[in-house]
Amino acid sequence: MGRELPKRVFIKTYGCQMNVYDSSRMADLLSPLGYRSAQAPEGADLVILNTCHIREKAAEKVFSELGQLKRLKETKGKRGGRMLIAVGGCVAQAEGAELLARAPFVDIVFGPQTYHRLPEFLARAARACGEGILDTSFPPEAKFDHLPDARADAGASAFLSVQEGCDKFCTFCVVPYTRGAEFSRPAAQILAEARRLAAAGAREIMLLGQNVNAYHGASPEGAKWGLGDLLRALSEIPGLLRLRYTTSHPRDFDDSLIAAHRDLPKLMPQLHLPVQSGADRVLAFMNRQHTADDYRRIVERLRKARPDLALSSDFIVGFPGEREEDFAATLALVREIGFAQAFSFKYSPRPGTPAAAVPGQVPESQKAERLLVLQRLISDEERRFNEGFLGRVVPVLLEKAGRRSGQLVGKSPYFQSVHVMAESGKKGEIVPVLIREVGLSSLGGVRVEAALA
Ligand code: SAH
Ligand code: SF4
Ligand code: F3S
């Protein structure tokens, strides 16, 4: 008998970091089944699209990609080969049955909470003759209890999902429907995964959750831990040098988490804290459950705990009912807080969410206009923030080789990408870098021998 050729899987990931984490866990599940990763769908026996439903454009991309995969699958079929197509993630969860109806050439549709069953789906698909498999249930078992250990080749910076799902039901958002109810992994499971990542070379861990600071998991002793407690325990793991978490919600900052920013030098001075709008009217329509002043107060407390904290945020413009003065309040808040970075989006009505059906939808042209104005303001602030680093020496965690020879790419404590010219230095090392250039979204500099500030 000849040696069996390895099967190839190509996973394409859309959307947020949680999807990136999930995709890597899918690869962990497939590896014992003999799947190695393919660089492109052309060379794959199995193609998985891990999809995002957050805005209309994100979902559209999936259908256009599926159109291309259909042709590829047909070509392969004519040559006597077989390619399985699987769609996972949030579009699959939201539109499972419709998706199979619209794209009947798809073999498997599964949601964010059922991907631990992938091996079973594949076995069924191998036997099935053309009928699609659909599983977008919210199973009673936690998928995290059924995933194998992560592979042993972590990068210098690794993601770790600690919390999932959302009970907040902002009126614009699909996440509570696609990811399900809030769930926190037990701390012992998280600590074990973090230790394995550290042993595999990770120096930085980004804790992930749709509402990561709503974390309330069982402690190793069976009590309840908040995110502050979890960060304290993680900061004691030798080898881990940097901790971050995302995405946090303004409503879930407790004293213990704020104190963690004061007490834990490993907790990096950068925080993504979406506010969406600066107008209380709009925040109320959005069901954000906080006011603009609540947000200001949290920022003030955080900055008191960690004066060098840099903030980033998300904004939605053109939410139904948003008036010109509401938008002006958003601009005012941006100027006042001074964000190091921010992402802004035109409101995108999502099927099944309350805001999609209300009167007072803002015309597309007005949304586009507001987006432009906001993005200009934000990019000015980003540039100002980055220019403040010119001539400074910052500790950079090296992550990978750069495009030019002698160049490495890493991250500053503030999560800026830094291109480093260095004679030496390897992945996972933190080196002092003198910043000499400021680009649109990254910094550039040279490795120096000076002690780290
Ligand atoms: N849990 C996070 C947000 C997760 S979604 C929080 O509560 O802040 C990521 C971002 O996508 C949101 O912050 C929001 O700015 C944007 N977003 C979500 N739904 C959207 C919609 N329907 N239209 C436009 N932007 C949206
Ligand atoms: Fe969506 Fe709101 Fe939950 Fe964030 S808090 S995931 S925006 S419903
Ligand atoms: Fe998108 Fe789902 Fe993440 S909708 S942003 S992939 S939680």
Side-chain angles (χ1 to χ4, degrees), residues 14-16 18-19 51-54 90 174-175 178-179 210:
Y14 302 80
C16 62
M18 300 207 73
N19 261 13
T51 63
C52 173
H53 204 236
I54 202 81
C90 292
V174 293
V175 171
T178 62
R179 292 270 168 175
Q210 262 93 26

Side-chain angles (χ1 to χ4, degrees), residues 54-55 172-173 210-211 247-249 274 276 288 314-316 345-348 350:
I54 202 81
R55 285 170 291 276
F172 52 82
C173 183
Q210 262 93 26
N211 271 289
T247 295
S248 49
H249 192 288
Q276 316 298 354
R288 289 293 288 180
D314 291 342
F315 294 90
I316 294 178
F345 312 100
K346 288 191 277 188
Y347 167 66
S348 169
R350 308 307 295 127

